[in-house]
Amino acid sequence: MISRFWYIIGFAAVCLTPLLSPGTERTPASQADVFSTVILPVFQQNCVKCHGKQEKVAGELNLLQLENADQLLSTPETLKNMIEAVDSGYMPPESETPLSEKTRQQLVASLQVYLKKSIASAKSLPATPIRRMNRFQYNNAVQDLFQLKVEVFSLPERMMREHDNYFQPQTGKMPQQVTVGSRPLGKSQLIEKRLGGVAAFPQDLRAENGFDNRADHLSLSPLLLESFLRLSRSIVTSSDFNKKTCGIWKEFFASPSKGTTKAETQAIVAARLRKFLTRAFRRPASDELVERYTAYVMQQIQQQRPFTESMQDAAAAALASPQFFYLYDQSADSEIPHSNGIDDFALASRLSFFLWGSIPDETLLDLAAAGKLHEPDVLTEQVSRMLHDDRLKRFCDSFPVQWLQLERIISSTPDRQRYPQFYFSKYRASMHMMLEPLLLFETLLIEDQSVLKLIDSDFSYRSDLLEAWYRDGKQGNAGSPVTVNFRRVPVEDRRQGGVITNAAVMTMTSNATRTQPITRGAWIAGVILNDPPKPPPADVPVLEDKPKAGEENLTLRERFAAHREHASCAGCHQRIDPLGFALENYDAAGLWRETYPNGRTVDASGKLFSKHEFANIVEFKDVLLVEKDRFTRAFAAHLLSFALGREMGVADSLALEKIVEETAAADYRFQSLIKEIVLSPPFLQSRVRQENESVTETSNATSK
């Protein structure tokens, strides 16, 4: 996994893996010339002081040992980290002479040539590991499999509740006003029609800087496996699981007409099970599998068990099967053209769990059965269809909440004395704040607007409370304690708009009494730029909330200066301080301020990527928009990671470049970005061969 290498040495030096061994094919003379005329001279003049000449070699990388271009080709991870550190302006560090912009661009371009060749020579992509469904996916899959008109169980992780059926992606337009609820509104938000007596398994936690569908976090302990068995039984035996709530009741559970012979009954059971198991297991049910389930049902019937209950037993057995709750790929037949990819049934599942958080529908399975789903035109058409389906709401209920880490707002409690307007009755303003960025996300997706508006939008959705909050910081009309009305409003003040400067993010990245610039900077680094910092050293003291004696007249930036002087922190602060202090005009509850309580003027200036200077938050947004491809790549990497259930690796770099290139050509439109992700090699291709064989064997063994 890339996390094992990503931050080997910290931010005081380039994040590099241990160098470097010869052993790749010989480099052409033209590339060797680039190595000797561009790369090696820059390294010798600007890098070997720390990476080779000192007794303690920074990052375990001794560039004095670098003798030829072939050594670079053997370590793509090292090349990738070199490029990121130099291109972002973090190397050389602030304490050293910076590279000229021309030299920087030449070095990055030269290293990129080697990286592309190194990745191409590997001819493989990271594995998409076998993993079980998370709780959200399991609920959706069961609901779709049985066409349930109720929820399977309550899902507190769904932070926004729709109350007026506003989500209509087929129209391509969001309404001017929506009525929604949010998780902190209390238990009333979880009172919904659902199957009685069904208890969900524990919520799956979001991976750090990732999502709750990551394979390395979705383990299956014996206790959890046992809970799946109990859960499957409780679903089909619930008193609320009946012909009124189950859409397939008549075609699957209802008894055949009286007078049906045993042979006819067996044929009916087999036909019903074949269709059901194909849908449940997301690929054609084999004759052996259908015969085994049919034999079980017929045995139950012969023992005088009612037909419906016997079919319920079979359905419960399917839900408890690893073939249902495990997600795994199967490679395409080696004799067909797209043999390096997953087969069409695995592609159907990958696509449906990405955009719908559930099993594929009959259209996807039919196209997979016809061997057509992988065809680019067909696949593009299906992505468009899925983006205009109501089930897209599940993607919006899952991805943006986790990407933005909005669960953090739930525990945010600004000081009551400083922010009494944050609290009303037994509720908090945060229940309104958290909904604003989610509604913006949904609108940009449904209306196929530019993803760059996630940085700086000219509209937003706001309640009366939020309108007052942004206007003058006073408490507005909180409205109903059960539902909240949000209106679409223009945003003319660029200090507002987008997901970065909204009140939810500003509040959740602060503590009760003051802002936390480092926390805010780390949030931007991880969420917006997909470049999360590593945890701080254990021996670095935490900044006290109250200034020490003699520090009362210092600004927060001045008080943090001591941290930058710590040897192991300086490089890190070089990266995240400009990001965090750019937001210093927003206080601990997201309200605008020009001065600190001590009267000192807030300084939000800085330099991004060691080359773009800015004086305030508007100029900071402008810098991010100048670097729009950097943001688009980061956002695409988050989406691709979510789609595949794994971290991004160096081998994904070329695909991400292509995704950004095509998205830019389409004016950065959201749906174009989604389509390019689906058409990318990491989404379409199978795992490394030896890992694929191992996982397939594991899945087959488990299924038996």
Side-chain angles (χ1 to χ4, degrees), residues 356-425:
W356 289 347
S358 183
I359 57 177
D361 63 0
E362 289 188 10
T363 300
L364 290 173
L365 291 176
D366 288 345
L367 288 169
K372 293 183 177 180
L373 184 58
H374 69 278
E375 297 175 3
D377 290 345
V378 174
L379 190 55
T380 300
E381 181 181 353
Q382 288 307 303
V383 173
S384 180
R385 177 180 73 89
M386 296 175 74
L387 289 172
H388 292 84
D389 188 283
D390 289 347
R391 283 167 286 190
L392 183 67
K393 186 69 168 71
R394 295 163 174 174
F395 172 75
C396 294
D397 282 341
S398 182
F399 174 80
V401 170
Q402 297 185 71
W403 169 53
L404 296 171
Q405 303 174 8
L406 283 176
E407 76 277 1
R408 297 164 62 174
I409 189 66
I410 296 172
S411 58
S412 296
T413 54
D415 183 79
R416 283 181 176 270
Q417 292 185 337
R418 295 190 184 189
Y419 304 102
Q421 72 275 33
F422 188 84
Y423 300 90
F424 53 94
S425 184

Side-chain angles (χ1 to χ4, degrees), residues 549-568:
E551 293 184 349
E552 295 87 354
N553 293 323
L554 297 181
T555 65
L556 200 56
R557 186 190 292 262
E558 291 168 344
R559 292 177 61 202
F560 266 105
H563 285 250
R564 293 179 62 90
E565 296 173 1
H566 197 287
S568 59

Side-chain angles (χ1 to χ4, degrees), residues 227-248:
S227 75
F228 271 113
L229 298 174
R230 292 195 303 267
L231 177 59
S232 65
R233 289 289 306 161
S234 69
I235 289 171
V236 299
T237 59
S238 169
S239 59
D240 299 305
F241 188 91
N242 51 51
K243 59 183 178 182
K244 292 183 179 180
T245 60
C246 177
I248 66 167

Side-chain angles (χ1 to χ4, degrees), residues 45 87 134 184 295 306 311-312 326 422 429 479 522 574 598 624 694:
Q45 183 174 347
D87 186 46
N134 61 28
M311 293 297 281
Q312 285 176 320
Y326 265 121
F422 188 84
Q574 179 186 347
N598 63 8
L624 290 178
S694 173

